[in-house]
């Protein structure tokens, strides 16, 4: 069995690990849910420029006093960092599609062994729509998926082939779950890091796709002091 | 025909009399931000029906243009995201509303194409997904693109910060979003603003939407959502 974790612990572990991917000066777009948490864990000395789909380049944390003239894509108030820019949607998506954003962090319904992502539609049940996600996975240089390892019913979210409609084809660079970190290297899914007390047989059991194991497999970064 | 130079300042109720049953309308806004709240409330109150609504999202069930959906005044939605509005989800699942979902970058660019005289554009977004269904694919320099077609509307309802009497507009905060683009793509364009000022009081360097695009100005009302944005 994989070690049991509280939901909050899962979310923190994923967000904290993803925050370690950024370099000083990177421009980053965060999706809703766990991805939003990532901004709380940026290491000291790393300055990241957060971009929001609705037109902020240089978004800061939730302000002390809400001003609804400044919101993020999730509809919560935000502050502006010194030196930020406010742009229209056509420029915001020009930045996204045009390759001017370094990383996007998105949630997932499923990711498959070919780097396909499904995140916007559960046929017959729920159609929230793709929003900006299809443009993000198309234009942003690195697509990071933040997801629990399995869904509520214990089914793997990393699968051989996505069943749900795709957001993008072969677009994912990195998948971070509460138990493992996988990278897509030369179009192959590679296990690179595992969390404390996680055994290989369990990772295999709860991952629905075949994967390679990195020669330099290591402890999941950020978990050193757990 | 050229639009009036000095823009009439109408009440929201008068302004939406320009929208008839069956009209195609664009409504600015992203989530809570930049919605012309007073105009869409007046449209709700007018009872106009069979609308085609072009807006990024359908707000919330009881907020902004979300009320148009809940009231059954909309027959078709063109949007990128409807997840915030339970009424939209319900009507769609019951097959009582037509829905065209468009990736958000494609959505705004289709409006831009409509307003800027383009026959369409090529985007890599959505290649290999449901978003390419029924559309033409074109390869340019070995890369595949979807041919996306323009969107225009009978009336665009937009939200800006301030106007001068010529209709020149400036925007504020994240209320800008789709508004400047939609201002180019409606046959008739109505702008809801916080204030209308004398000609000359906005620096031409700051103008985002030139007044020649605007037909009518409406002053923002004092409802909860209008007031806080």
């Amino acid at each position: 069995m994989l070690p049991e974790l509280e939901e909050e612990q899962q979310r923190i572990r994923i967000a904290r690990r993803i925050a370690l991917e950024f370099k000083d000066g990177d421009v980053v777009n965060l999706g809703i849910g766990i991805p939003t948490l990532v901004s709380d864990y940026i290491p000291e000395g790393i300055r990241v420029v957060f971009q929001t789909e609705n037109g902020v380049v240089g978004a800061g944390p939730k302000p002390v006093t809400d001003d609804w003239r400044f919101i993020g894509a999730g509809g919560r108030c935000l502050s502006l960092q010194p030196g930020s820019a406010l742009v229209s949607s056509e420029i915001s998506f020009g930045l996204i599609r045009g390759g001017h954003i370094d990383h996007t962090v998105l949630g997932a319904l499923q990711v498959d062994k070919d780097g396909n992502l499904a995140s916007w539609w559960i046929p017959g049940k729920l159609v929230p729509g793709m929003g900006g996600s299809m443009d993000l996975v198309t234009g942003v240089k690195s697509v990071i998926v933040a997801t629990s390892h399995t869904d509520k019913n214990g089914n793997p979210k990393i699968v051989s082939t996505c069943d749900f409609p795709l957001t993008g084809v072969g677009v994912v660079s990195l998948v971070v779950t509460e138990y493992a970190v996988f990278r897509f290297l030369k179009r192959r899914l590679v296990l690179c890091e595992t969390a404390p007390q996680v055994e290989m047989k369990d990772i295999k059991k709860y991952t629905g796709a075949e994967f390679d194991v990195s020669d330099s497999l290591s402890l999941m970064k950020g978990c050193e002091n757990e | 025909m050229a639009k009036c130079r000095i823009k009439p300042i109408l009440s929201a109720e008068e302004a939406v009399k320009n929208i008839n049953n069956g009209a195609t309308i664009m409504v600015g806004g992203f989530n809570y931000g930049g919605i012309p709240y007073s105009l869409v409330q007046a449209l709700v109150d007018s009872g106009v029906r069979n609308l085609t609504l072009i807006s990024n999202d359908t707000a919330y069930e009881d907020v902004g243009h979300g009320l148009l959906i809940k009231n059954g005044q909309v027959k078709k939605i063109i949007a990128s995201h409807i997840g915030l509005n339970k009424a939209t989800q319900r009507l769609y699942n019951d097959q009582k509303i037509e829905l065209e979902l468009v990736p958000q970058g494609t959505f705004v660019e289709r409006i831009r194409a409509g307003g800027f005289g383009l026959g369409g554009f090529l985007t890599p977004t959505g290649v290999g997904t449901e978003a390419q269904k029924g559309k033409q694919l074109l390869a340019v320099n070995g890369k595949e693109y979807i041919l996306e077609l323009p969107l225009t509307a009978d009336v665009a309802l937009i939200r800006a910060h301030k106007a001068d009497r010529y209709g020149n507009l400036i925007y504020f905060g994240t209320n800008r979003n789709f508004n400047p683009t939609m201002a180019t793509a409606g046959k008739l364009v109505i702008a809801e603003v916080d204030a209308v000022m004398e000609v000359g009081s906005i620096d031409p360097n700051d103008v985002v939407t030139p007044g020649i695009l605007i037909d009518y100005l409406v002053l923002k009302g004092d409802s909860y959502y209008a007031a806080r944005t």
Side-chain angles (χ1 to χ4, degrees):
Chain A
M1 283 294 288
L2 287 163
E4 260 188 53
L5 290 174
E6 298 286 327
E7 196 187 332
E8 189 60 15
Q9 213 181 341
Q10 290 181 18
R11 292 160 61 89
I12 291 171
R13 199 184 259 181
I14 295 168
R16 189 179 58 198
R17 174 62 191 87
I18 291 171
L20 296 171
E21 281 297 295
F22 308 144
K23 290 197 280 296
D24 196 32
D26 277 354
V27 185
V28 175
N29 178 293
L30 299 178
I32 313 296
I34 300 175
T36 308
L37 282 182
V38 171
S39 62
D40 294 341
Y41 296 94
I42 305 299
E44 225 170 288
I46 302 286
R47 287 160 304 173
V48 170
V49 179
F50 289 108
Q51 189 259 3
T52 73
E53 281 120 295
N54 63 327
V56 183
V57 183
K62 191 172 159 42
V64 181
T65 316
D66 282 347
D67 179 343
W68 288 89
R69 298 173 302 174
F70 300 94
I71 62 170
R76 290 178 57 192
C77 293
L78 51 69
S79 57
L80 299 181
Q81 297 284 43
S84 63
L86 292 161
V87 299
S88 65
S89 298
E90 63 184 56
I91 292 184
S92 181
F93 278 87
L95 295 175
I96 289 168
R97 214 178 29 234
H100 307 284
I101 312 288
D102 296 301
H103 303 276
T104 181
V105 184
L106 297 167
L109 294 167
Q110 291 176 325
V111 185
D112 73 23
K113 65 174 187 328
D114 299 311
N116 299 325
L117 171 67
S119 62
W120 66 282
W121 182 8
I122 308 174
K125 252 180 138 177
L126 196 67
V127 200
M130 67 290 276
S133 61
M134 283 194 182
D135 299 282
L136 283 161
V137 301
T138 302
V140 175
K141 291 175 208 158
S142 133
V143 175
I144 301 173
V145 170
T147 180
S148 55
H149 206 91
T150 56
D151 67 16
K152 271 180 278 181
N153 303 317
N155 300 310
K157 296 192 52 162
I158 303 169
V159 297
S160 189
T161 306
C162 290
D163 308 312
F164 296 127
L166 298 183
T167 310
V169 177
V171 292
V172 177
S173 324
L174 180 76
V175 182
V176 178
T177 78
E178 69 275 39
Y179 298 121
V181 176
F182 294 90
R183 279 182 202 280
F184 283 90
L185 297 169
K186 295 180 183 154
R187 307 191 69 90
R188 293 192 60 88
L189 181 64
V190 182
L191 176 68
C192 296
E193 298 170 28
T194 53
Q197 281 120 44
V198 170
E199 291 182 40
M200 187 62 73
K201 66 170 175 36
D202 293 323
I203 286 284
K204 284 194 170 146
K205 186 173 169 191
Y206 291 100
T207 303
E210 301 245 330
F211 55 85
D212 298 343
V213 178
S214 168
D215 294 340
S216 50
L217 180 71
S218 65
L219 179 72
M220 187 166 168
K221 285 182 203 152
C223 291
E224 296 82 1
N225 298 320
E226 272 190 16
Chain B
M1 196 180 69
K3 303 189 175 195
C4 290
R5 190 86 207 260
I6 299 285
K7 306 304 173 189
I9 304 171
L10 304 182
S11 68
E13 294 68 30
E14 286 172 294
V16 300
K17 285 184 182 154
N18 291 288
I19 300 172
N20 301 316
N21 288 332
T24 296
I25 61 168
M26 286 180 183
V27 176
F30 184 123
N31 207 312
Y32 288 113
I35 297 172
Y37 283 106
S38 310
L39 284 166
V40 292
Q41 185 59 52
L43 197 55
V44 169
D45 296 340
S46 79
V48 164
R49 301 181 73 81
N50 287 325
L51 296 169
T52 294
L53 173 67
I54 302 173
S55 64
N56 174 58
D57 54 80
T58 53
Y60 298 80
E61 193 164 0
D62 294 307
V63 178
H65 48 296
L67 285 159
L68 287 170
I69 314 255
K70 188 181 176 185
N71 277 359
Q73 291 171 267
V74 176
K75 69 161 192 252
K76 181 178 180 183
I77 301 166
I78 302 175
S80 84
H81 193 271
I82 58 162
L84 304 173
N85 188 327
K86 292 193 183 80
T88 312
Q89 199 75 237
R90 200 165 55 233
L91 289 166
Y92 176 70
N93 285 344
D94 295 347
Q95 297 178 332
K96 287 183 176 153
I97 205 159
E98 223 183 304
L99 175 64
E100 182 180 340
L101 282 170
V102 183
Q104 199 166 139
T106 301
F107 176 82
V108 69
E109 204 63 15
R110 286 180 67 188
I111 296 166
R112 202 176 81 87
F116 285 66
L118 300 172
F121 61 96
L122 300 176
T123 180
T125 299
V127 170
T129 75
E130 290 285 322
Q132 79 171 48
K133 231 179 179 175
K135 295 173 188 165
Q136 194 179 340
L137 280 181
L138 284 161
V140 180
N141 293 329
K143 186 172 170 178
E144 283 212 307
Y145 296 89
I146 300 174
L147 172 65
E148 292 282 359
L149 302 179
L151 283 173
T152 54
D154 298 312
V155 182
L157 302 179
I158 67 159
R159 170 69 198 279
H161 182 43
K162 287 177 180 167
D164 67 17
R165 287 304 308 270
Y166 283 176
N168 292 307
L169 302 179
I170 56 172
Y171 296 86
F172 196 83
T174 47
N175 289 338
R176 182 181 311 210
N177 57 63
F178 298 87
N179 288 299
T181 316
M182 288 182 172
T184 69
K187 285 192 203 93
L188 190 91
V189 182
I190 307 172
E192 176 174 334
V193 296
D194 290 29
V196 180
M197 307 190 302
E198 287 313 307
V199 170
S201 52
I202 299 177
D203 184 335
N205 287 295
D206 294 339
V207 173
V208 174
T209 297
I212 57 169
L213 293 167
I214 304 301
D215 291 275
Y216 300 119
L217 298 170
V218 168
L219 282 166
K220 179 177 95 165
D222 55 7
S223 72
Y224 173 73
Y225 291 109
R228 74 176 189 175
T229 57

